Amino acid sequence: MSALLLEQDPLDPDLELKVHYVRVIFCSISVLSLCLLFLVLVCLKAYKKIFERMIMVSALGALIYSIPLDSILASDPTSCEIVGFFNEIGFILSGLWSTYYAHLLMVVISQKPYNLRKLLIIYTITSVVAALIFSVLSFQMHYVVYEEVSGVCLHTGLTGAIDWSFILTKILPIFVVIILSLTYYGIVIKELRILSASQRDVLTGSYAIILLLPAGFLLLWIPVVVCNILNVAWKIDIDYYTYAVIFLLTKLHGLVMATVFFICGRIRSGILKLIRREDRLPITDSTIEWDKHPKAKITNDLPTSSSVSLQKYDRMITT
């Protein structure tokens, strides 16, 4: 189990085993959910669309983070370092792509010109580079070590000492991701307040994907950050098993991600068409059509300086 293990009273073997089982269950649920998402996207040939490519790239990061590599590969110190390297890649990719969805929502709502193809390239390159940087840093700091007695990969820290490897490779990145996501959300909320009811009604379906994905990530990770801030800043001891359960909830990120996609229109409609064995024509009831202008625009009944007119964009969201 990869977790923060402080010097404290000996852990209860039975409880530790239960925590391990919970982790395997959470990881398995997320992995199966993401594999189902990939399968559906391939069956719908959704990879031909730019936004669906975004979905697949971000889902890949969540999949890497969800796979319980330490349960599969843990056998010696070298294998644990490899596990830590790939866990860090999945962790950083998952966090950054959640922030990117929040940024994309901000760009769309705030009436800024954009090109989705360029954004996809920028998002992909920056997320991969950042993931590699932090993974190498984690590897150099020997973040994960092999525990010979139990035969698992662990991250260990000393009570009373600042755990810089944990702060630099986990808390700092996730703290930045949370701050950026909340900032983008704040801008979106500000913009939504000036929209008319008819304009806000359009922000459903595919819009909900880029609205809910960052929210799901924040919901899972904010408790982890709060626990660590309480422990580091105010010296409040957090029970190991309480922290372990809170941390393990982040392994459900894959499930949250897949659920958001399945309930937000396009994929759900595609599944229904597959079930009914209808021709797989473009789905238009709740679709993101990034490559062409929408047939119907959002009514502009606000002053020009604060209105949202999506037709002026090079790439559009339509529902």
Side-chain angles (χ1 to χ4, degrees):
M1 172 183 176
S2 296
L4 178 65
L5 181 61
L6 300 177
E7 289 185 347
Q8 54 182 310
D9 295 335
L11 301 177
D12 186 333
D14 292 335
L15 285 177
E16 183 68 12
L17 185 61
K18 292 179 181 179
V19 170
H20 173 73
Y21 285 149
V22 170
R23 180 179 181 278
V24 172
I25 292 173
F26 283 4
C27 288
S28 300
I29 292 175
S30 286
V31 169
L32 291 175
S33 300
L34 290 170
C35 288
L36 180 60
L37 174 62
F38 277 113
L39 179 61
V40 171
L41 289 174
V42 171
C43 291
L44 294 176
K45 297 183 179 180
Y47 50 83
K48 295 182 179 180
K49 296 281 187 178
I50 299 178
F51 182 69
E52 278 74 1
R53 293 174 193 170
M54 272 191 177
I55 295 176
M56 299 184 78
V57 174
S58 58
L60 179 60
L63 180 63
I64 295 174
Y65 180 70
S66 299
I67 297 175
L69 294 174
D70 52 342
S71 299
I72 301 172
L73 301 178
S75 59
D76 53 54
T78 301
S79 65
C80 283
E81 290 185 345
I82 295 175
V83 166
F85 182 85
F86 282 101
N87 277 341
E88 188 70 15
I89 288 179
F91 168 72
I92 297 297
L93 288 178
S94 297
L96 282 179
W97 273 98
S98 295
T99 301
Y100 290 156
Y101 283 120
H103 175 265
L104 179 60
L105 180 64
M106 179 201 69
V107 170
V108 172
I109 298 300
S110 61
Q111 197 179 354
K112 295 181 179 180
Y114 65 92
N115 182 301
L116 190 70
R117 190 182 302 276
K118 292 181 179 179
L119 285 178
L120 173 59
I121 294 174
I122 293 173
Y123 291 163
T124 302
I125 293 177
T126 54
S127 62
V128 171
V129 170
L132 290 176
I133 291 175
F134 279 98
S135 297
V136 171
L137 180 62
S138 174
F139 186 83
Q140 292 295 325
M141 299 182 77
H142 303 287
Y143 180 80
V144 178
V145 298
Y146 181 67
E147 211 285 309
E148 295 184 359
V149 176
S150 56
V152 296
C153 299
L154 291 172
H155 171 63
T156 61
L158 298 177
T159 302
I162 298 178
D163 188 352
W164 288 108
S165 63
F166 183 69
I167 291 175
L168 292 177
T169 62
K170 290 294 187 293
I171 298 304
L172 179 61
I174 204 63
F175 183 78
V176 173
V177 163
I178 289 174
I179 293 300
L180 288 176
S181 296
L182 292 177
T183 300
Y184 295 146
Y185 266 136
I187 296 174
V188 168
I189 292 174
K190 181 180 178 180
E191 294 291 334
L192 287 178
R193 287 176 178 174
I194 65 175
L195 297 182
S196 66
S198 61
Q199 289 173 313
R200 286 195 295 268
D201 287 342
V202 180
L203 304 181
T204 57
S206 297
Y207 279 96
I209 294 178
I210 54 179
L211 175 66
L212 294 178
L213 278 179
F217 186 85
L218 293 176
L219 184 65
L220 293 174
W221 277 101
I222 285 180
V224 176
V225 175
V226 170
C227 286
N228 283 279
I229 291 176
L230 292 176
N231 181 259
V232 174
W234 285 280
K235 307 300 181 182
I236 298 177
D237 292 331
I238 306 297
D239 178 70
Y240 170 75
Y241 294 107
T242 300
Y243 179 82
V245 171
I246 293 175
F247 185 82
L248 290 180
L249 287 175
T250 65
K251 292 295 183 179
L252 291 175
H253 181 224
L255 173 63
V256 173
M257 186 179 215
T259 301
V260 168
F261 288 127
F262 283 133
I263 67 176
C264 288
R266 174 171 175 76
I267 297 178
R268 184 185 67 244
S269 300
I271 293 174
L272 292 177
K273 285 181 176 291
L274 287 176
I275 293 176
R276 295 168 183 170
R277 296 184 178 181
E278 298 178 4
D279 293 335
R280 283 178 287 184
L281 299 176
I283 302 166
T284 57
D285 60 336
S286 182
T287 305
I288 294 183
E289 295 288 352
W290 300 98
D291 300 319
K292 55 187 178 182
H293 293 286
K295 296 180 179 178
K297 66 179 180 178
I298 295 179
T299 303
N300 180 12
D301 56 1
L302 298 176
T304 304
S305 60
S306 61
S307 63
V308 176
S309 178
L310 297 185
Q311 279 192 323
K312 70 190 299 181
Y313 294 155
D314 293 328
R315 299 291 183 266
M316 305 294 173
I317 292 183
T318 66
T319 56

